[in-house]
Amino acid sequence: MNNTKSVSVTESLLLWNYPNDLLTRSQYLLAVYILNYIIKPVILAVGLPTNVINCVVFWRQGLGDRMNVCLFALSVVDLCMISLSTLFSITYYMEQSDLARYDGIYSYCQIYLSGVGHGFRTASGFITIVIAVERCLCVTFPLKAASLISTRTMRVTMAVIGGVSQMAFVTVPLRLNVVRVTNSTTTVGIISSDMFLKNQVFFTIFENMIMMNVVPLATFIIICVCTALTVVKLRAAFTWRKTTSCSSEGGQGQHTALTKMLVLVCCVYILTTIPWVIFYLATLTWPEFFFASKFYYLYMTSIVTVFYFPYINSSVGFFVYFSRSTRFRQDVNTCGRWCKAQVGGGQEADTVCKTLTDL
């Protein structure tokens, strides 16, 4: 274990002074404050109820359709990811409000639940891959679309994605330990575990390189390619129908509307992942852009910002479904009327139902 030495307050402040940085410490703290105290509460306030509504609606519609299975699984994963973020916030404020009573609770959550959060984020990307690939195949091979994958296979695929994504990040709690350090006072600290110290190469390659960088980048590329192919094929189909004066709407119209909605779901994922891709490419191409560099505050501001975008992606699904799917809107209205009937028709019920039906 490395030796440590005491550092005075003045010296420690000087260590955090980076005169050549593009951002100052106060600007970094301002960015963190805005993200944690303004943007995050809005995301949680929107994402939690809307994903609950998504889960209820897709469950009521039934899981006999493979796309409903995908969208239900995506809503569950997004709900879990946002709920976990809410738990992190709660434990942080608990520790800040009563350090003597709750000291260490936030650190324990960081160690034992951060991997779970990474798993949900990865699962959300994998499910979006399935949606993008399925739509691409359906548009490319429309006559074989029904036989491409069965509903049961889709259910198994969603279960496997959820399980594998969680297992892939079991390394996160294994590489850290929470310890109590006693000097003049007793406090909680996080140190590297013996397992990590003995297997640093494995942890670095598997977790840091593969799961945190290669997998998200590959997910982004696959979704971009499949979505682009779907859009191209869809436009070609529209052109063909116009030239042949084909009037066979009905089922084709429903299929096209569903495809457009799912393409929009993929586009939202792409747009909310682009900031991370830019950040990752900057770390590869800009030698001075890393943690222990003269651009420390720029790096830290960038990293805390880009990791908020997956939560945005997980919070806007409801608005995509509501704006693009007539059936989804009808079912939301039905849930609103059911809610009104269950509560008893009072003024509060009217308010709740009006919110659901007028979104």
Side-chain angles (χ1 to χ4, degrees):
M1 184 177 294
N2 295 330
N3 294 327
T4 59
K5 64 178 182 178
S6 300
V7 181
S8 68
V9 175
T10 304
E11 291 173 334
S12 64
L13 289 176
L14 291 174
L15 290 174
W16 297 102
N17 184 24
Y18 297 89
N20 296 322
D21 203 336
L22 298 179
L23 295 179
T24 64
R25 177 174 171 80
S26 60
Q27 290 172 330
Y28 161 69
L29 293 177
L30 176 61
V32 172
Y33 179 86
I34 293 173
L35 288 170
N36 287 334
Y37 294 97
I38 299 176
I39 295 180
K40 186 174 184 178
V42 172
I43 293 174
L44 299 182
V46 172
L48 283 173
T50 55
N51 276 292
V52 170
I53 295 173
N54 293 344
C55 293
V56 171
V57 170
F58 290 127
W59 179 267
R60 285 172 59 87
Q61 287 180 356
L63 303 182
D65 177 78
R66 63 176 184 266
M67 265 302 107
N68 261 28
V69 173
C70 271
L71 295 177
F72 175 76
L74 182 61
S75 299
V76 170
V77 167
D78 289 342
L79 176 61
C80 291
M81 186 167 71
I82 295 176
S83 299
L84 196 61
S85 179
T86 305
L87 179 62
F88 278 123
S89 296
I90 292 173
T91 56
Y92 174 79
Y93 291 121
M94 287 172 61
E95 188 172 276
Q96 294 297 311
S97 63
D98 192 345
L99 185 60
R101 185 175 181 181
Y102 299 112
D103 186 25
I105 186 173
Y106 182 66
S107 297
Y108 279 106
C109 282
Q110 277 188 310
I111 289 180
Y112 295 111
L113 295 180
S114 290
V116 177
H118 290 316
F120 286 135
R121 190 183 70 237
T122 301
S124 181
F126 284 167
I127 294 173
T128 309
I129 284 181
V130 173
I131 292 173
V133 172
E134 195 269 354
R135 280 298 101 180
C136 183
L137 293 176
C138 285
V139 173
T140 306
F141 308 104
L143 299 179
K144 299 181 180 180
S147 60
L148 289 175
I149 183 171
S150 66
T151 302
R152 185 179 178 210
T153 303
M154 186 65 79
R155 292 172 183 167
V156 173
T157 302
M158 295 298 105
V160 170
I161 286 175
V164 171
S165 298
Q166 291 300 323
M167 291 175 60
F169 287 97
V170 72
T171 56
V172 175
L174 293 179
R175 64 183 174 87
L176 297 170
N177 284 330
V178 176
V179 296
R180 292 195 172 273
V181 180
T182 303
N183 293 321
S184 57
T185 60
T186 301
T187 186
V188 171
I190 299 176
I191 64 171
S192 299
S193 66
D194 292 337
M195 180 178 291
F196 172 76
L197 295 175
K198 294 177 182 178
N199 303 277
Q200 291 189 47
V201 175
F202 168 77
F203 279 90
T204 300
I205 294 176
F206 180 76
E207 183 183 321
N208 293 348
M209 294 179 61
I210 297 178
M211 295 308 304
M212 297 296 291
N213 293 311
V214 175
V215 169
L217 186 61
T219 300
F220 175 79
I221 293 173
I222 293 172
I223 293 174
C224 285
V225 172
C226 291
T227 303
L229 289 174
T230 301
V231 171
V232 170
K233 292 291 184 180
L234 206 57
R235 287 185 175 179
F238 285 149
T239 303
W240 178 81
R241 287 175 192 168
K242 288 182 180 179
T243 57
T244 57
S245 299
C246 180
S247 60
S248 59
E249 292 297 326
Q252 279 294 333
Q254 294 178 0
H255 178 269
T256 301
L258 175 62
T259 300
K260 287 182 177 180
M261 184 186 78
L262 296 176
V263 165
L264 188 55
V265 170
C266 295
C267 288
V268 170
Y269 179 89
I270 292 170
L271 290 174
T272 53
T273 308
I274 286 176
W276 175 84
V277 174
I278 296 174
F279 170 80
Y280 177 65
L281 294 178
T283 61
L284 295 179
T285 58
W286 189 4
E288 296 180 327
F289 187 65
F290 65 102
F291 178 79
S293 71
K294 64 181 181 179
F295 297 112
Y296 171 82
Y297 291 122
L298 176 63
Y299 178 88
M300 291 302 299
T301 303
S302 301
I303 198 170
V304 298
T305 301
V306 299
F307 280 105
Y308 267 84
F309 281 91
Y311 295 110
I312 297 175
N313 174 62
S314 298
S315 301
V316 300
F318 171 85
F319 303 100
V320 174
Y321 309 142
F322 195 87
S323 62
R324 305 300 302 184
S325 173
T326 303
R327 184 186 176 191
F328 187 87
R329 285 196 299 273
Q330 292 173 346
D331 287 333
V332 169
N333 294 336
T334 301
C335 290
R337 288 191 293 270
W338 177 84
C339 173
K340 182 176 180 179
Q342 291 296 316
V343 176
Q347 184 176 358
E348 294 181 0
D350 292 336
T351 303
V352 173
C353 299
K354 190 176 186 302
T355 302
L356 286 174
T357 56
D358 293 347
L359 280 174

